[in-house]
Structures are given as structure tokens and as C-alpha cells.
Amino acid sequence: MQHFLELWHQAARTSVGFFWMALWAFVLGYVISSLIQVLVTQQRMQKLMGKEGPRSVALGTFFGFLSSSCSFSALSTTRALFSKGAGLAPSLAFMLASTNLVVELGMVIAIFLGWQFVVGEYVGGMMLILVTWLLIRITRPRRLERQARERMKPPEAHDGDAGDWRQKIRSAEGWQQIGQTYVMEWQMVWKDVLIGFTVAGVISAMVPESFFQAMFMGSGGQNAANPGFLAVLAQAVVGPVAAFFTFIGSMGNIPLAAVLFSQGVSFAGVMAFIFSDLVVLPVLRINAAYYGWKMALYILALMLVGIVSVALVMHYALVALDLLPSLEGLKTPSERHFFQVNYQLVLNLMFLAVTVGLLWFWRKGQRAQEGHHHHHHHDHGGASLTDRVLQGLSVLALSWLAGGWLVGWLLL
């Protein structure tokens, strides 16, 4: 019993420590994301994106990079772009870029995993877009596209297009909008983040290495970093499968990826796992609600082929350059010192102050709206069941973390 209580405390401490490490990166990412969402409008993006062709795909990628967000809001923006006439390839390029070529994701990856994985994330993200585009060119899903478009009513126009961005940045209303978007970003991801970090702590403290070695063939051995082609391929395939069942958004996935890496899973396996935030169960369900099941499964197949092939290419490119991240000197999560007076503390305090400022603007905006009785909310496309499940899991996660800290306090 004593042993279990110690593990429980360690798991909770690791979860909170992970979040503390990443806090400033989250805030900075969402501030940038909110600024862009308010200042660069969807209409402007649609006009520029066009149907098909290299320029459209490049612009889709660029706009995706600008409007980085959690996978769920990326899905609804992608649907809006597609239903207003953007081609399938540029729309998917937008979706992939807005979940993979993400500023805040790169920061969190750098904190947990190191620079090779950041390069993997960005270069691999670009390659993923190219592979998807190529596969669309080869498979030419004209009928699927037509059926998907017929299913869709064009979404109602946004009223957020009034005014030039320069005016917005100078006006109180503009900042209230930015504060509101910032709060919405957090409302969309806090459950994912909470559950992701909690699960990562539990896995890191309580799941034995043998489990990972059974699941990821060739992991944790003498040459775990590069265990031979078949093992690397198997791990790149298992990565998305593991992610499919964790159904945590990309930001919650990173601490889990760090746990996998510290257990000796290869670069390809970890990258495939990180890229898989768009092949998880809730995303599949939402896509099916938007485009119909055929199209949703087609998109899933495109993603899987892309993820596995890109993870392999990235892995062997690093092998060729002799830059594979080594497992030596890697701290397991439980050995880290999370809470110290260092640059992280300073950054966290700074960005918490920014959050307080944006919350103030958000409150002012809410008050103004209560006067107008005008509500503008995000539609998640019938994610009610998923939402309920996430809500239940969030309550569980919070109780688990609180209990773990309490236990640690009593053990001391």
C-alpha cells in the first residue's frame, strides 16, 4: 500500500510538473493564435486559397500555420474553407499545417524532447502536406468530394469581418475580441491538456518498461534508437494506433511522447505518435459528421499513409546524418526537478500576467455583450458524447491529481 501511495504521489507530481514546464509555451502560443484569428479573417483566406494547384496548397499551408489551433477548431475552420469552395488539397493542407506547423507545439516539443523532434515536427509537417497532396493527385477522389460538398450547407457568414486590423489593434473592442478568442482557445483545449498531462504522469510513474517493449517492437533494447527497419516500421505503425485510443489533442500528446521516448521507443515511433492527433477517434467522428463516413475514412487513410511514410523518411534521414537523438543521458520524467527558480519560473509569471490582462478584456467584452444579448459561439459539430466523456475524465483527472498531492503531503 505504501508503495502504491508513493507511486500515486509521484504520478501526480510528474503531471503537474509537466504542465508547469509547458505553461508559458501554451500561453504564448494561444496569444499568437488569438491575435491572428481576430486580425486575419476567414474571408480573406478563402479569396486567396482558390481551388487546386501548388499556389493554393502553399497558401493553405501558410494560413494553417498562421491559425494554429487545437485539432477540433482546425476541423471546423477546414470545413468552413472547404464548404465555401476551397479545394480538398488546400483544405487538408490547412488542417495539417494548423495542427502540426504550430508555434506553441514546437515550443512544448523543444521543452520535452529536444531539437531533433522540433525539426521532425516542422520538416515532417511540410512533408506530410506534400505526401497528402500527392496522394490526392493520384487517387483523384472527385466523386467523394462532390458528395461531401452536397452534404454541406455553407456555414453562416461571420460578423467578425468588420474593420481593418489596424483599427482592431487600436480599439478596446478589438482587444475584447482577442481576449474572447484567447478564452475560447483555452475552453477548447483545457480538458485535453488536463487529461493528457494526467495520463502522462500515470504512465511515466506506473507502467513498467516491459509493457512498452511488448507494444513497440524493438524498443528499449541495446540499439533501441535504431533497431532495424522492420522494428522501426512496426513502431511507426503502432504510434498512430496508440494515439487513436488515447484521443488527446496534440498539446496533451507531447508529455506522453516524452514518456514513450524515455522508454526507448525510436524516433520514428515517437514522431508517428506526435503526428497522429488527426487520426484519433473524436476527429474521425467529427469529420464523418461534416463530410460523411466515406470521405472521413478516405481522409483517415491519407493521414495514416502520410504519417507512417514521413516518420520513416525523417528517421532514416537523421540516421544518414548521424543526428538521431540518443537515449543516453535522457532523464526519465520522474528524475526531473520541475519546480525551481529559473527562466521557466520567470516566463510562467510573465505569461500568467498576460493571461490576467486578456481575461480582463474578456470580462469587459462579456459585460458589453450582456448589454447587447448577442452570443457568438464555436460549433464543434455534435461533439456532445465526446464532450461528456471528456468532462467525466476531467473530473477524474482533477480528483486523482488532488489526491496524489494530498497523499504526498501526508507521507511527508
Side-chain angles (χ1 to χ4, degrees):
M1 189 64 193
Q2 176 78 15
H3 180 58
F4 170 76
L5 292 177
E6 278 166 14
L7 282 179
W8 185 8
H9 172 59
Q10 190 189 324
R13 201 178 149 277
T14 305
S15 296
V16 178
F18 270 164
F19 183 66
W20 181 248
M21 279 170 72
L23 179 63
W24 65 271
F26 276 116
V27 175
L28 177 59
Y30 291 139
V31 169
I32 294 173
S33 168
S34 306
L35 283 168
I36 288 163
Q37 283 181 50
V38 172
L39 303 176
V40 182
T41 56
Q42 260 185 37
Q43 275 88 329
R44 209 164 288 164
M45 295 198 296
Q46 255 127 14
K47 277 186 199 115
L48 291 167
M49 255 168 75
K51 283 276 189 235
E52 297 292 336
R55 182 171 169 274
S56 301
V57 173
L59 280 168
T61 304
F62 177 65
F63 291 135
F65 169 70
L66 287 184
S67 51
S68 66
S69 55
C70 81
S71 17
F72 296 112
S73 80
L75 292 175
S76 68
T77 314
T78 304
R79 173 186 68 162
L81 292 170
F82 181 74
S83 70
K84 287 184 185 172
L88 180 64
S91 301
L92 290 183
F94 174 88
M95 179 170 85
L96 284 165
S98 65
T99 49
N100 289 316
L101 308 179
V102 179
V103 184
E104 64 264 32
L105 198 60
M107 293 175 198
V108 177
I109 290 173
I111 292 169
F112 283 110
L113 284 159
W115 68 269
Q116 288 99 328
F117 288 93
V118 180
V119 173
E121 176 65 32
Y122 290 129
V123 177
M126 301 289 263
M127 283 165 58
L128 203 52
I129 289 166
L130 290 172
V131 170
T132 307
W133 183 30
L134 187 72
L135 290 170
I136 291 173
R137 297 292 297 260
I138 294 169
T139 52
R140 295 196 170 271
R142 290 284 146 75
R143 236 182 69 232
L144 275 179
E145 257 194 81
R146 214 175 47 245
Q147 288 168 350
R149 283 188 200 283
E150 280 161 15
R151 270 185 70 96
M152 295 178 125
K153 314 181 289 295
E156 58 290 349
H158 277 301
D159 50 4
D161 211 19
D164 179 42
W165 66 271
R166 292 183 198 81
Q167 284 170 311
K168 281 185 183 171
I169 233 168
R170 288 200 209 106
S171 69
E173 286 81 32
W175 280 100
Q176 284 166 14
Q177 259 185 325
I178 291 164
Q180 208 175 346
T181 311
Y182 178 74
V183 171
M184 272 178 0
E185 286 277 316
W186 274 107
Q187 282 171 340
M188 280 191 298
V189 297
W190 73 267
K191 297 189 198 83
D192 277 331
V193 169
L194 172 67
I195 296 163
F197 280 76
T198 306
V199 170
V202 172
I203 289 178
S204 118
M206 296 181 163
V207 176
E209 272 182 46
S210 53
F211 174 80
F212 292 101
Q213 282 156 20
M215 191 166 161
F216 288 90
M217 175 177 140
S219 68
Q222 288 297 290
N223 43 0
N226 189 21
F229 181 73
L230 274 179
V232 173
L233 175 64
Q235 290 186 21
V237 172
V238 171
V241 175
F244 188 83
F245 293 108
T246 56
F247 74 91
I248 299 156
S250 49
M251 297 300 266
N253 258 347
I254 305 307
L256 271 176
V259 174
L260 291 180
F261 186 56
S262 69
Q263 296 293 353
V265 175
S266 71
F267 183 79
V270 175
M271 276 321 303
F273 179 77
I274 293 175
F275 279 139
S276 295
D277 56 326
L278 286 171
V279 296
V280 294
L281 199 52
V283 168
L284 179 65
R285 277 194 41 242
I286 290 173
N287 272 340
Y290 286 170
Y291 310 108
W293 276 103
K294 278 183 188 163
M295 186 60 142
L297 290 169
Y298 172 75
I299 293 174
L300 180 72
L302 285 183
M303 299 289 147
L304 284 173
V305 174
I307 288 164
V308 174
S309 52
V310 168
L312 287 174
V313 171
M314 293 296 307
H315 181 92
Y316 284 106
L318 288 180
V319 171
L321 296 166
D322 201 24
L323 290 174
L324 259 194
S326 90
L327 298 164
E328 287 148 35
L330 187 77
K331 283 189 186 143
T332 58
S334 51
E335 292 163 8
R336 293 175 183 228
H337 296 294
F338 294 115
F339 308 103
Q340 292 170 312
V341 178
N342 56 8
Y343 75 98
Q344 246 158 1
L345 175 70
V346 177
L347 284 169
N348 281 348
L349 291 175
M350 268 168 49
F351 281 107
L352 281 170
V354 171
T355 299
V356 171
L358 286 171
L359 282 174
W360 184 77
F361 276 118
W362 169 72
R363 273 304 303 153
K364 280 194 71 164
Q366 292 292 92
R367 287 213 187 92
Q369 272 190 5
E370 279 156 22
H372 288 294
H373 296 296
H374 166 77
H375 269 325
H376 181 81
H377 65 280
H378 258 28
D379 162 37
H380 267 198
S384 57
L385 176 69
T386 312
D387 276 353
R388 284 207 293 276
V389 171
L390 281 176
Q391 216 125 26
L393 289 174
S394 308
V395 173
L396 271 177
L398 278 171
S399 331
W400 168 265
L401 293 176
W405 279 92
L406 192 66
V407 163
W409 188 62
L410 293 173
L411 286 177
L412 297 174

